[in-house]
Amino acid sequence: MARQFMKGNDAIIVGALAAGCRAYYGYPITPASEIAHAAAQHFPALGGVFIQAESEVSAINMVYGTAGMGVRTMTASSSPGFSLKQEGLSYCAGAELPCVVVNIVRGGPGLGNIAPEQADYFQITKGGGHGNYRLITLAPNGAQEMCDLTMLAFDLADTYRNPACIMADGITGQMMEVVEIPEAKPVPFDHSSWEVRGTPESSGNLISSIVLEPDELERHNLKMDAKYRDIMAKEVRCEEYRTEDADLVVVAYGVVSRIVYSAVDEARAEGLKVGLLRPITLWPFPSAAIARLAETAQRFLAVELSTGQMVEDVQLAVNGRAPVHFYGRCGGMVPGGKELLAEFKKVLEGGQS
């Protein structure tokens, strides 16, 4: 298998092409712009389509149209741009169209800055747009996962006919690492039962998110809700590190998890029983795994690049069986290993975070 040194943002396009995506629509925004640059370079060369749209709104609606044709398609942006896509994402979810949307989160609110944050967690996992819908959300913590989880996102989107999101941050997008280039594979899904291509074969199919009759819309909502419950039962992904005897379980995702790995090792070297649970899917959230750990762990600590968003899901999973603490940096600030180790000690000694 070939290996290449590249940015996490470039690895997303490598994964998308290997997954059979052939249509990219986007609007450049830092720190996600390399994704559009790579797409412009490689999609046309492989017989696909790249269009720099006039706006984020246009880009997500181009994705809607192409997904309706049964073609694997994607867009990418950063926080303010992702906000502009919310109406289109709701339309895609309502019409049950598979697509992949990437958000390389930057500091906010507003224009903020181009430094890393994780403060779009609520927007992505709770639904930033209108109506009853969910986004399957994957959180890579390095360039290889930017590639691999993008491929997985396309398969999950097709399996459940639902948009899937990659949530990363400015560091993960810009950081350069060695990536093993996956082999391209054919799209293992048949879209003929619902795609609309303007052909006699697809003339009976209809792509729409408008349902005027209340009883029909209720049935549609309940059908989607059943799908989301199925996703919650089958598609939770997380990673545990040294949790088997942990008194303190740290919950962290994305780039922060990489710092926590080192801080956990430093804590263990000092005789402190600390472990890490890393959510790989932010939705569905690994609540059951956290609940299991709450049977033995004395305390939990959520570490985020925000003022505290994921911590609410950790509290729900722990359900009062142990104290849940929080430590966060924001505005583009990232905690160091020594900083986290000091926080671990404070929490284990009964201090408040």
Side-chain angles (χ1 to χ4, degrees):
M1 184 175 292
R3 307 176 79 209
Q4 189 173 339
F5 192 55
M6 65 177 68
K7 286 188 174 184
N9 281 345
D10 293 324
I12 282 176
I13 292 303
V14 170
L17 289 168
C21 178
R22 289 296 181 268
Y24 182 100
Y25 310 103
Y27 186 85
I29 178 171
T30 309
S33 293
E34 290 86 358
I35 303 173
H37 297 168
Q41 182 177 2
H42 297 299
F43 272 69
L46 292 173
V49 172
F50 168 85
I51 294 179
Q52 179 176 322
E54 68 271 32
S55 70
E56 300 280 8
V57 175
S58 294
I60 188 63
N61 282 289
M62 290 176 183
V63 166
Y64 181 102
T66 301
M69 295 173 61
V71 175
R72 283 194 162 181
T73 181
M74 69 177 296
T75 183
S77 190
S78 183
S79 303
F82 189 76
S83 294
L84 292 167
K85 296 182 186 295
Q86 296 309 306
E87 182 188 44
L89 272 170
S90 177
Y91 278 43
C92 288
E96 297 190 276
L97 292 177
C99 58
V100 172
V101 181
V102 179
N103 184 2
I104 306 298
V105 181
R106 57 191 259 177
L111 282 177
N113 61 31
I114 62 172
E117 254 200 11
Q118 296 177 324
D120 294 359
Y121 180 91
F122 280 159
Q123 184 184 45
I124 293 174
T125 63
K126 311 302 181 187
H130 59 283
N132 297 305
Y133 76 93
R134 291 285 197 171
L135 293 179
I136 301 166
T137 305
L138 301 161
N141 74 349
Q144 186 67 57
E145 285 196 356
M146 292 284 258
C147 174
D148 297 344
L149 294 186
T150 297
M151 296 183 71
L152 174 62
F154 277 104
D155 283 348
L156 292 175
D158 262 326
T159 298
Y160 297 99
R161 284 189 60 185
N162 199 75
C165 182
I166 299 291
M167 178 181 174
D169 59 85
I171 290 180
T172 310
Q174 297 295 319
M175 184 167 55
M176 295 190 73
E177 295 181 303
V178 173
V179 175
E180 291 189 352
I181 309 300
E183 291 186 6
K185 62 177 186 178
V187 177
F189 292 89
D190 179 8
H191 302 144
S192 60
S193 64
W194 55 266
E195 67 185 13
V196 175
R197 286 181 169 268
T199 61
E201 293 78 15
S202 65
S203 61
N205 296 337
L206 174 65
I207 299 294
S208 175
S209 68
I210 184 170
V211 184
L212 292 177
E213 296 300 328
D215 58 341
E216 291 182 21
L217 183 55
E218 183 181 56
R219 283 196 295 274
H220 183 58
N221 270 278
L222 293 176
K223 172 192 168 192
M224 291 177 60
D225 186 61
K227 173 173 70 177
Y228 295 142
R229 291 180 185 279
D230 195 32
I231 295 171
M232 291 170 67
K234 297 177 179 175
E235 305 299 347
V236 174
R237 288 167 172 81
C238 64
E239 184 176 76
E240 294 186 35
Y241 181 66
R242 307 186 80 165
T243 57
E244 61 281 356
D245 62 344
D247 294 327
L248 171 64
V249 173
V250 183
V251 184
Y253 67 94
V255 69
V256 180
S257 68
R258 296 178 60 139
I259 306 167
V260 174
Y261 282 116
S262 300
V264 166
D265 287 340
E266 290 190 45
R268 288 279 177 172
E270 296 188 19
L272 304 175
K273 293 182 178 179
V274 181
L276 165 68
L277 185 139
R278 176 172 75 98
I280 296 173
T281 51
L282 300 181
W283 194 87
F285 191 70
S287 300
I290 293 174
R292 173 178 49 78
L293 292 172
E295 295 176 359
T296 55
Q298 297 176 6
R299 296 177 182 276
F300 286 78
L301 173 66
V303 179
E304 303 176 55
L305 300 183
S306 76
T307 54
Q309 299 191 9
M310 178 192 68
V311 64
E312 294 187 6
D313 286 330
V314 178
Q315 290 168 333
L316 286 170
V318 172
N319 196 24
R321 282 169 286 189
V324 177
H325 303 260
F326 171 74
Y327 188 75
R329 300 295 301 271
C330 56
M333 299 299 293
V334 179
K338 298 295 184 187
E339 180 181 344
L340 291 180
L341 180 59
E343 195 64 23
F344 297 170
K345 292 177 179 177
K346 187 171 77 173
V347 170
L348 284 168
E349 291 168 359
Q352 295 297 314
S353 294

